[in-house]
Amino acid sequence: MKRSGPLLTLFAGLLLGLFMLSLNATTGTKSASTTYREDAPAVTASPSPTASPSATRTTPAPSPTTSPVPDAEYAGRTDDDSSAVSVSVRDGRAVAYFCDGHDKESWLKGEVKDDGRMRLTGEHGAVLNGTLEAGRRIRGGVDIDGGHYAFTADRAKKPSGLYRATATVRAAKVDGGWIILKDGTQVGVLTRGGKPSPAPPIDPETGVVTVDGQQLTAHPVVP
């Protein structure tokens, strides 16, 4: 009986050890490894700056200034010296007369642009294209009856310029046109009943002209 004490103690110790091991297995916790990740802060894209309308608006270049087309008369000859041309300008419009002093003539009219360019038209397809140069002269050309006539017409001073007379003489319609050049030379065509011929001279001071014994008055022509 005396030897059973130590054995019981040993046996009790073993049971206690087994019990503790069993308890550990059933209630013990396994450390879970955790991974730490720090999310990067979200980056919000800022909208690209928009230029203000005032910064992007292009200021238009100022329009070139042009002087008003002056009211004036112009008279001159074609480059081949075969004919004369006169142009009268008023309020941006023009009337012109081309004649050779024999049987070829044309009245033309149209507008004058602010830059001095003009395109005047007449009967039977006649056309005058010209450019007013600094209000001092007109250079251009007349296309008439299949021919082209380049000309220069300088600014005219009275009595130089363009004149016209229309009337009925002896039951015939009379229509006369005259150009007085700066040297006093007169170039004109008189049409009687549709038949052209050289025009008789007019008085440069009064415009009076005698046609078939009847006096007529030629007046300055304006648009």
Side-chain angles (χ1 to χ4, degrees):
M1 297 298 294
K2 290 182 181 179
R3 292 182 180 178
S4 59
L7 291 173
L8 290 173
T9 303
L10 178 61
F11 183 73
L14 290 173
L15 289 176
L16 179 62
L18 290 172
F19 177 77
M20 293 300 293
L21 288 174
S22 176
L23 183 64
N24 233 9
T26 57
T27 62
T29 56
K30 185 179 180 180
S31 299
S33 61
T34 58
T35 303
Y36 176 80
R37 184 183 65 182
E38 183 178 356
D39 292 333
V43 178
T44 303
S46 301
S48 56
T50 304
S52 63
S54 59
T56 58
R57 186 181 298 114
T58 302
T59 303
S63 301
T65 56
T66 55
S67 300
V69 177
D71 295 344
E73 322 298 326
Y74 301 86
R77 299 192 67 89
T78 57
D79 291 357
D80 62 5
D81 204 36
S82 68
S83 307
V85 178
S86 184
V87 182
S88 177
V89 177
R90 290 290 185 281
D91 299 324
R93 295 193 61 80
V95 60
Y97 182 55
F98 168 94
C99 76
D100 64 357
H102 300 287
D103 56 7
K104 185 179 294 186
E105 66 172 351
S106 181
W107 291 94
L108 310 102
K109 60 183 179 180
E111 295 183 353
V112 183
K113 297 184 180 298
D114 290 342
D115 60 4
R117 290 180 298 137
M118 63 187 74
R119 177 182 172 81
L120 314 181
T121 58
E123 293 182 353
H124 310 298
V127 177
L128 182 153
N129 287 294
T131 302
L132 177 58
E133 299 179 350
R136 293 179 297 183
R137 66 180 63 88
I138 296 174
R139 294 186 190 275
V142 177
D143 295 294
I144 180 174
D145 294 342
H148 178 77
Y149 302 85
F151 72 90
T152 299
D154 294 323
R155 189 161 182 166
K157 294 182 180 180
K158 295 297 183 183
S160 179
L162 176 58
Y163 298 82
R164 189 174 192 176
T166 57
T168 299
V169 178
R170 296 182 180 178
K173 182 179 179 180
V174 174
D175 187 358
W178 291 263
I179 297 172
I180 300 181
L181 302 173
K182 61 181 180 180
D183 63 359
T185 302
Q186 296 186 21
V187 183
V189 171
L190 182 73
T191 301
R192 297 181 181 87
K195 295 182 179 180
S197 62
I202 63 174
D203 184 326
E205 298 299 328
T206 64
V208 173
V209 57
T210 301
V211 177
D212 296 336
Q214 182 174 330
Q215 281 194 343
L216 306 177
T217 300
H219 299 281
V221 178
V222 294

